[in-house]
Amino acid sequence: AKNLQKIHGGAITHIFYTNGFETYFWESDFYPPVKVYGFPTRDDLEWMQARREIRWHLSVELINPAIAGRDYQIAAIRAALEGIEARRRKFLLFMATGTGKTRVAAGLVDVLIRARWAKRVLFLVDRIALQDQALNAFKEHIPSTPRWPLEGDKEFVRNRRIYVATYPAMLNLIQN
């Protein structure tokens, strides 16, 4: 990639490399390489390039207390945001029943979308009841963000920002 940059100029922002069996994607100066199972669309690549230039620092982004206002919820969101800025990819937030896990998720999604770190979010659940709960929470706390599925949606729609699905529904979408 550096040799191609010397020949053609420009910045090295996204690198794909493969050994013929596995393919990796590397945002060269941002995140470490990650294994991928397909290639992004042109729109996705354009979004990733724009995101590099327009995203804000997460450490200064305000968490909306109307979504997640309890101290431990704010601390959980802040810890996740700091981890994202530290270039970590995996997080585990362990919270007891009734402590507002869905509110924390909605608060985190709100910050990531406002700071332009996320364009689309997939929220996976294991039961229909949790899907309905999550959809209602996103509708209540982030009402201007398009969600899927909405009442009456029969097919998968690609122009939404927040997707809430059960594991079986997501597997069916992938297989189809």
Side-chain angles (χ1 to χ4, degrees):
K2 289 185 179 185
N3 287 336
L4 288 173
Q5 180 191 29
K6 288 177 187 174
I7 295 169
H8 299 288
I12 301 173
T13 56
H14 305 103
I15 299 171
F16 290 91
Y17 62 92
T18 184
N19 62 8
F21 300 103
E22 297 176 338
T23 303
Y24 291 85
F25 171 68
W26 182 17
E27 283 188 85
S28 60
D29 60 347
F30 194 68
Y31 270 114
V34 62
K35 186 176 178 180
V36 295
Y37 300 93
F39 293 98
T41 65
R42 183 182 183 113
D43 287 343
D44 290 336
L45 285 171
E46 288 173 356
W47 159 253
M48 286 187 265
Q49 182 62 35
R51 181 184 66 183
R52 295 173 67 86
E53 299 163 6
I54 63 173
R55 68 176 150 213
W56 303 337
H57 290 285
L58 294 174
S59 58
V60 297
E61 189 62 37
L62 296 177
I63 298 167
N64 185 345
I67 298 174
R70 297 179 183 161
D71 290 342
Y72 61 87
Q73 292 170 335
I74 292 171
I77 294 169
R78 183 62 55 209
L81 295 175
E82 288 170 1
I84 291 168
E85 281 201 322
R87 295 178 170 89
R88 291 197 319 248
R89 289 190 175 270
K90 297 179 182 181
F91 305 92
L92 175 64
L93 297 177
F94 184 80
M95 299 173 67
T97 301
T99 56
K101 293 181 285 291
T102 306
R103 282 179 167 263
V104 168
L108 182 59
V109 167
D110 176 59
V111 171
L112 292 173
I113 288 175
R114 280 189 291 116
R116 297 180 179 101
W117 278 66
K119 182 177 181 180
R120 288 182 294 273
V121 174
L122 172 61
F123 192 84
L124 283 175
V125 296
D126 60 356
R127 295 187 309 272
I128 296 287
L130 293 176
Q131 180 182 15
D132 295 339
Q133 176 187 350
L135 282 167
N136 289 335
F138 285 118
K139 179 180 178 181
E140 177 184 350
H141 299 300
I142 315 174
S144 62
T145 304
R147 298 165 307 284
W148 180 87
L150 295 176
E151 237 179 89
D153 281 344
K154 301 291 184 204
E155 299 292 323
F156 182 73
V157 181
R158 296 181 182 269
N159 64 350
R160 307 291 166 82
R161 301 284 304 264
I162 297 174
Y163 296 86
V164 182
T166 62
Y167 293 107
M170 184 52 54
L171 290 174
N172 288 338
L173 286 170
I174 291 169
Q175 289 173 351
N176 292 335

